[in-house]
Amino acid sequence: MKMKFAIYTRLPNQSKIMFFYTILGIFIFPFYIFSQQKGATPISKIQINENQSKNTYAVVVGISDYQDLGIPDLRFADKDAEAFANYLKSKAGGNLDADHLKVLLNEKATVAQFAMALDWLMEVVEENDQVILYFSGHGDVEKKTITQPGYLLCWDAPSRVYLAGGALALPMFQDIITTLSAQNKAKVVVITDACRSGKLAGSSVGGSQITGANLAKQYANEIKILSCQPNEYSIEGEQWGGGRGAFSYHLIDALYGMADNNNDLIVNLQEDGRYIEDHVSAEVAPVSQVPMVLGNRTDALSFVDSKILASLKSGKSNQTTFLSSIDSRGMEADVLAMADTSIRLTYRLFKQALKNKVFLEPVNACAETYYTQLINEPGLERLHSTIRRNYAAALQDDAQQVINIWLKADVKQLECIGKSIRLEPISKLLDKSISLLGENHYMTKALISRKLLFEGVSLSQTNRNPDKNLAIKCISKFKQAILLEPSSPIIWHQMSLVYLDNLNQIDSAIQCIKKVKELAPNWMLPLVNVGFGLIVKGNFKLAKYFLDDARSIDSLHPYVIQFEADWYYYQGGSINNLKAIQLYEEYLKRNGPQYPCWYYGYSNILKTNWKKKRSIKSIGK
């Protein structure tokens, strides 16, 4: 079980509490984190009981790579911990320096180092200070008894017999928290991100579930925020921050101010709870993960910096929504261990088919066939939602890759579209993904929109010449797509090309480009594409407007160079031709990336110049 926790507390100077640590050679922490990031004032700056904390001290621990090979490694535990530590170092997190922050990642997070860090806290923390403890790693029990409520495992924990070292029992940890909150009158916030992963010592008796349930117990003057219910799995994947836990990622956003529903620039526990419950539950579906929030719902968690929040929202508005596959190694290992050999083989073939993008054919050896077999296997019921999710995500991969390439305007990757990444099958794959996720999934509207987009793009590419009937069909699909995803600049871009190429309606094309500029002001590709279309039509004055706009975004981009060279070349004349050649040659000297269209344009200009020279020589003779 992967557990992540942070504890925020105002702690009086009471070094006697160290007794709880020194009497044991084993140390454990509940995996609770209080994650807050840029844009939100940390709890250390919030007024509590009319007194502000004097100082904030923190210990941050994250373990993905365990020493004992018998303890399965985690994927993003250390990344989440590092992100949290970076937050604490930032202005929004309190600008904590090395005198106030200890960070222990992977092999640095031994029991001894952890104990020393806790001892350091006991030495430096005084009354009205706050302590932040963050732990991300495994949690487990060894036997199902009332007196065995759970352990948290440090880097050097053994895979069996946790009493031998490397683990701390939860009652001790809770005793410390209760002492801080009741005796020292500290406010304690405990946040847990638990991801059970792999076969641990207590797997056969539900060890991680027992640990999670005990962590969820509520005591006086405490706040606890847990990533999921005790019987659920905390989901992580590439979808969240390039590789994070869904809960951790959205908790941080919430504290930035994304959860500030009433716009009072304060995020309280109720707002935070609603935000993470809504976003996590929706984005991990059809897998179930419902965060838990316990404590006084009116308690403030962070103050919001409106400027940073606006920047955060702006950044998210330019991101495309996508669905990633998720990691469920713990549940996967538990379930498959009980399955027979043929089922395990089918499961491996299914995962390999997803990796190789062998989705719908050949009929007897594709992901669809394996999926049907697995989803009808009662013994895999606990894995069914994960299997469905990962299949649906894989079906969307090509569509997302094409969208990313368009947005990046990478000239070499753009050459892959239609070749290594075929456009024609994408709409069919998206249709299958939609059927797997169902009409109530948060991605469904976007997927239907993309399906219509790719249908329109594939149809438009059958003929780039004037064709009214074709254009009407394409634009109809694009307009339907826009109704479902109005903030997509890609749809407006593709529609502008149809208006220009197939209908010769320049005004309509320009209106579409204006909408693109509004949605994605730094996206250069639409300006180049429409500008080139105008050059071909001989509208050099209007093309120059788009050329200048594209140049202001990226003057050295190969498409911009080619655009400007074409602008000279198509106007004709020796001087214009030489200017075009000069642009290409200057680009060559800079060793910019070349691609087939670039060579084609360059060779055309050289060929034209060579023919003119030959003609002049012939006249001279």
Side-chain angles (χ1 to χ4, degrees):
M1 174 163 70
K2 170 184 170 188
M3 301 184 172
K4 308 173 183 177
F5 68 88
I7 305 155
Y8 289 70
T9 138
R10 287 188 303 132
L11 183 64
N13 186 13
Q14 195 160 356
S15 58
K16 290 181 180 180
I17 293 179
M18 273 308 298
F19 170 78
F20 291 106
Y21 299 98
T22 55
I23 63 173
L24 287 183
I26 324 162
F27 292 88
I28 159 187
F29 276 158
F31 0 80
Y32 289 106
I33 70 174
F34 179 39
S35 298
Q36 41 182 49
Q37 285 210 347
K38 294 179 181 178
T41 300
I43 291 182
S44 59
K45 300 295 189 295
I46 293 178
Q47 186 127 355
I48 302 175
N49 297 330
E50 299 181 354
N51 291 315
Q52 283 189 311
S53 59
K54 295 184 297 183
N55 297 294
T56 297
Y57 297 93
V59 174
V60 176
V61 179
I63 312 165
S64 290
D65 183 14
Y66 276 84
Q67 180 184 37
D68 193 321
L69 297 179
I71 300 178
D73 290 338
L74 301 171
R75 291 184 68 193
F76 304 128
D78 55 342
K79 288 185 179 180
D80 281 334
E82 188 171 20
F84 183 73
N86 288 337
Y87 160 69
L88 293 176
K89 296 174 185 177
S90 72
K91 180 179 179 181
N95 286 323
L96 299 192
D97 55 22
D99 292 332
H100 294 80
L101 171 64
K102 306 296 182 186
V103 181
L104 304 174
L105 301 178
N106 294 317
E107 69 276 5
K108 301 294 184 182
T110 63
V111 165
Q113 290 298 325
F114 203 3
M116 289 176 63
L118 295 173
D119 186 59
W120 164 72
L121 289 176
M122 296 301 104
E123 292 293 329
V124 299
V125 170
E126 298 178 352
E127 186 174 357
N128 290 328
D129 284 344
Q130 288 206 31
V131 175
I132 303 171
L133 299 175
Y134 178 104
F135 181 94
S136 175
H138 275 300
D140 193 25
V141 304
E142 288 186 274
K143 56 184 179 179
K144 195 173 184 178
T145 65
I146 294 176
T147 59
Q148 183 95 190
Y151 294 88
L152 293 174
L153 313 183
C154 292
W155 176 78
D156 51 350
S159 60
R160 295 290 188 274
V161 191
Y162 299 138
L163 282 171
L168 177 68
L170 290 185
M172 175 169 294
F173 177 74
Q174 183 59 59
D175 204 8
I176 294 168
I177 296 174
T178 304
T179 300
L180 293 173
S181 60
Q183 182 173 314
N184 297 325
K185 303 185 186 305
K187 183 173 183 178
V188 181
V189 179
V190 181
I191 303 175
T192 267
D193 190 352
C195 179
R196 307 189 298 279
S197 180
K199 294 290 287 183
L200 295 171
S203 296
S204 62
V205 295
S208 50
Q209 292 95 325
I210 295 171
T211 305
N214 279 282
L215 283 168
K217 290 180 180 178
Q218 182 66 14
Y219 297 84
N221 197 29
E222 296 173 7
I223 288 175
K224 290 187 177 181
I225 305 174
L226 287 71
S227 69
C228 61
Q229 306 294 313
N231 62 337
E232 292 178 336
Y233 287 78
S234 183
I235 301 303
E236 55 184 0
E238 303 292 338
Q239 178 174 345
W240 300 285
R244 296 280 306 283
F247 168 77
S248 172
Y249 178 80
H250 284 298
L251 179 62
I252 286 170
D253 276 356
L255 295 170
Y256 269 138
M258 297 293 286
D260 183 18
N261 288 331
N262 60 3
N263 297 316
D264 64 351
L265 300 182
I266 298 174
V267 175
N268 62 29
L269 184 61
Q270 179 167 318
E271 290 175 320
D272 179 85
R274 285 180 177 176
Y275 185 88
I276 58 175
E277 286 169 9
D278 289 347
H279 285 76
V280 172
S281 299
E283 292 187 14
V284 304
V287 179
S288 177
Q289 181 182 346
V290 182
M292 297 175 63
V293 175
L294 306 168
N296 186 345
R297 295 297 182 104
T298 63
D299 279 0
L301 296 181
S302 64
F303 290 141
V304 180
D305 184 311
S306 56
K307 291 183 179 180
I308 297 179
L309 176 60
S311 177
L312 176 64
K313 288 181 176 179
S314 176
K316 288 184 178 296
S317 68
N318 292 326
Q319 295 176 353
T320 58
T321 306
F322 75 102
L323 188 76
S324 73
S325 61
I326 57 174
D327 180 44
S328 58
R329 281 174 42 203
M331 179 167 54
E332 178 181 286
D334 291 346
V335 174
L336 292 178
M338 305 299 293
D340 61 39
T341 303
S342 63
I343 293 173
R344 290 199 294 269
L345 175 60
T346 302
Y347 189 76
R348 287 197 299 271
L349 291 172
F350 171 71
K351 293 181 72 172
Q352 190 63 42
L354 295 188
K355 182 178 179 180
N356 296 337
K357 299 184 179 182
V358 181
F359 296 121
L360 305 178
E361 54 186 27
V363 175
N364 295 324
C366 65
E368 177 65 18
T369 299
Y370 303 136
Y371 169 78
T372 302
Q373 295 173 14
L374 296 171
I375 212 70
N376 288 314
E377 176 55 51
L380 299 183
E381 184 177 0
R382 291 171 62 202
L383 274 181
H384 284 169
S385 58
T386 300
I387 292 170
R388 186 178 297 110
R389 157 91 182 211
N390 288 348
Y391 186 19
L395 288 162
Q396 298 174 33
D397 281 348
D398 278 355
Q400 189 62 49
Q401 286 303 309
V402 171
I403 288 171
N404 291 344
I405 291 169
W406 278 335
L407 292 173
K408 291 178 181 177
D410 186 312
V411 291
K412 291 190 173 180
Q413 288 186 320
L414 280 163
E415 292 296 319
C416 298
I417 298 178
K419 297 175 184 176
S420 59
I421 303 179
R422 295 173 55 217
L423 288 175
E424 187 265 333
I426 288 179
S427 59
K428 187 176 181 180
L429 299 180
L430 291 175
D431 197 42
K432 178 62 183 177
S433 183
I434 292 165
S435 70
L436 289 169
L437 294 175
E439 62 180 12
N440 294 324
H441 194 273
Y442 84 101
M443 278 287 297
T444 298
K445 282 188 177 181
L447 291 176
I448 295 173
S449 175
R450 289 175 196 183
K451 175 177 175 286
L452 290 164
L453 165 67
F454 281 99
E455 287 176 348
V457 171
S458 297
L459 186 60
S460 70
Q461 291 195 350
T462 61
N463 186 7
R464 284 296 191 186
N465 297 312
D467 188 328
K468 184 176 180 181
N469 291 331
L470 176 70
I472 290 173
K473 292 178 183 178
C474 293
I475 289 173
S476 174
K477 290 185 179 295
F478 292 146
K479 286 185 175 180
Q480 291 177 64
I482 285 172
L483 288 175
L484 294 169
E485 204 172 17
S487 62
S488 170
I490 296 170
I491 305 171
W492 290 100
H493 172 216
Q494 293 296 332
M495 191 155 57
S496 73
L497 297 177
V498 173
Y499 275 124
L500 189 63
D501 296 336
N502 300 113
L503 290 176
N504 197 28
Q505 293 182 8
I506 295 176
D507 289 344
S508 296
I510 291 174
Q511 289 303 313
C512 291
I513 293 298
K514 286 182 178 179
K515 189 65 179 178
V516 172
K517 286 286 291 179
E518 176 186 325
L519 295 169
N522 295 316
W523 190 22
M524 175 270 302
L525 186 62
L527 304 175
V528 171
N529 285 343
V530 171
F532 179 74
L534 292 169
I535 289 173
V536 173
K537 294 180 183 301
N539 195 331
F540 299 106
K541 183 177 180 180
L542 189 54
K544 182 64 163 58
Y545 169 82
F546 287 104
L547 169 59
D548 291 342
D549 204 355
R551 193 192 292 115
S552 69
I553 295 173
D554 187 354
S555 62
L556 299 179
H557 193 283
Y559 277 164
V560 176
I561 302 296
Q562 188 175 354
F563 182 5
E564 188 170 6
D566 286 337
W567 187 80
Y568 284 115
Y569 171 66
Y570 274 81
Q571 291 183 74
S574 299
I575 295 178
N576 284 331
N577 202 54
L578 290 174
K579 287 182 179 179
I581 291 174
Q582 184 180 5
L583 285 167
Y584 275 109
E585 291 180 346
E586 288 176 352
Y587 181 75
L588 277 174
K589 291 178 182 179
R590 289 196 297 270
N591 294 317
Q594 282 87 51
Y595 49 97
C597 290
W598 188 91
Y599 281 113
Y600 179 77
Y602 187 31
S603 64
N604 272 343
I605 295 174
L606 291 176
K607 182 171 64 176
T608 301
N609 193 53
W610 179 75
K611 286 181 178 179
K612 286 181 179 180
K613 287 181 178 180
R614 283 199 62 186
S615 177
I616 292 171
K617 288 182 180 179
S618 297
I619 293 173
K621 291 180 180 179

